Amino acid sequence: MIKYALVTGGSRGIGRAVCIRLASLGYHVLINYNSNSIEAERTLEAVRNAGSDGEIIQFDVANRAQTANAINVWAEKHPDSYIETLVNNAGIRKDNLMLWMEPEEWDNVIDISLNGFYNVTHLLVKNMLVKRFGRIVNIVSLSGIKGMPGQTNYSASKAGVIAATKALAQEVAKKGVTVNAVAPGFIKSDMTQDLDENELKKIIPCGRFGTPEEVASLVGFLVSKEAAYITGEVISINGGVYT
Ligand code: NAP
């Protein structure tokens, strides 16, 4: 029986590393992306190199109709299968001080991280409950735990997903579905390219940024059968930054 996993924002960064990790665990990986098809193809190639297979599924998680259409088309083609693992990873930053934050900067970040979580999760959770097994991992952030200046939008969106993680975990626990959040600190990716690592590493006890692979390794554990008794948790992976 093929095990299917969907990773939103699987074309780059943490999402790509998660796709590769899940492939190495034997999943057939559905690699979602929004606009970067070339990078999504690279992820698919890496998934195949990891010894499994996958497919690319394009949709903008913030677009409810587009998301539903893509997932429903996939489900119609796979009537005897279901997506047992979902990693809600798609996210963006649009930092600004509240004083200057434009409505679009607020809305875009909330729409992708928080509403995107709803748009995808509510479509997949039913089958997980029916089959009595499922794993949902939400990639949140240190910012959603402690709040970061210049990121009221991002902090709010991630804090919202953290609360939803805790609530949903309690709704579905009896049916063998776990829901957890992984909260990275500073991880090397396109998202953090513009940050000064040399300066910021001074506040990180481990003295460096983390890697997408380190985050993916934690996700790999949380989706395993061995992690069945961990649910509703927010697990930090931040090199020792106090939260
Ligand atoms: P990244 O390198 O910028 O990659 C972002 C990914 O999200 C890309 O695959 C992108 O797809 C996808 N995406 C963006 N908007 C989307 C949308 N509307 N619909 C579908 N996919 C969309 O970012 P990253 O650093 O890997 O971050 C991944 C997650 O980790 C995010 O949720 C982020 O908030 C979180 N995080 C990152 C860090 C960090 O330090 N890097 C720290 C804490 C939390 P395209 O390639 O098509 O654009």
Side-chain angles (χ1 to χ4, degrees):
M1 191 74 179
I2 302 175
K3 296 190 298 180
Y4 291 95
L6 168 63
V7 181
T8 68
S11 47
R12 291 182 285 126
I14 294 170
R16 171 182 287 163
V18 169
C19 289
I20 296 168
R21 185 70 177 192
L22 295 180
S24 76
L25 296 172
Y27 280 96
H28 179 103
V29 187
L30 277 68
I31 304 157
N32 161 255
Y33 75 101
N34 182 30
S35 56
N36 207 328
S37 61
I38 292 172
E39 294 301 322
E41 289 290 347
R42 288 203 178 119
T43 302
L44 179 58
E45 199 182 319
V47 157
R48 290 182 174 143
N49 288 338
S52 189
D53 204 356
E55 62 198 277
I56 292 169
I57 178 165
Q58 189 281 330
F59 55 88
D60 172 357
V61 296
N63 184 327
R64 195 162 291 157
Q66 198 185 90
T67 301
N69 183 55
I71 289 178
N72 290 336
V73 165
W74 185 90
E76 277 162 25
K77 284 191 192 146
H78 300 82
D80 301 323
S81 308
Y82 82 110
I83 295 168
E84 66 171 54
T85 289
L86 165 63
V87 182
N88 285 304
N89 165 80
I92 59 160
R93 268 176 57 205
K94 287 211 170 164
D95 299 355
N96 212 341
L97 295 175
M98 182 53 111
L99 190 60
W100 293 301
M101 187 167 292
E102 298 293 338
E104 309 79 60
E105 291 170 330
W106 179 268
D107 289 345
N108 288 349
V109 171
I110 301 281
D111 278 348
I112 293 174
S113 285
L114 184 56
N115 294 331
F117 158 82
Y118 167 78
N119 293 342
V120 181
T121 307
H122 95 107
L123 294 170
L124 300 191
V125 75
K126 183 177 169 199
N127 269 340
M128 294 182 188
L129 296 171
V130 170
K131 307 282 183 187
R132 302 185 82 87
F133 182 83
R135 294 283 182 264
I136 299 172
V137 179
N138 301 317
I139 308 299
V140 292
S141 171
L142 172 65
S143 194
I145 299 175
K146 73 181 285 288
M148 299 278 243
Q151 292 196 319
T152 51
N153 50 356
Y154 186 79
S155 300
S157 72
K158 296 299 191 181
V161 175
I162 287 172
T165 299
K166 294 176 182 176
L168 180 59
Q170 295 171 73
E171 292 181 12
V172 298
K174 283 206 173 69
K175 296 281 167 69
V177 180
T178 67
V179 190
N180 290 291
V182 164
F186 296 102
I187 306 297
K188 277 181 202 280
S189 75
D190 293 347
M191 188 178 275
T192 51
Q193 233 177 9
D194 59 329
L195 303 181
D196 183 351
E197 182 173 354
N198 274 333
E199 200 47 44
L200 285 164
K201 71 185 185 188
K202 294 178 191 156
I203 58 159
I204 305 169
C206 281
R208 63 172 176 87
F209 279 15
T211 66
E213 290 73 24
E214 287 172 316
V215 179
S217 172
L218 173 56
V219 174
F221 172 65
L222 289 172
V223 305
S224 71
K225 291 226 161 71
E226 289 81 356
Y229 207 53
I230 302 173
T231 196
E233 280 301 319
V234 185
I235 303 180
S236 287
I237 175 160
N238 63 26
V241 177
Y242 186 67
T243 51

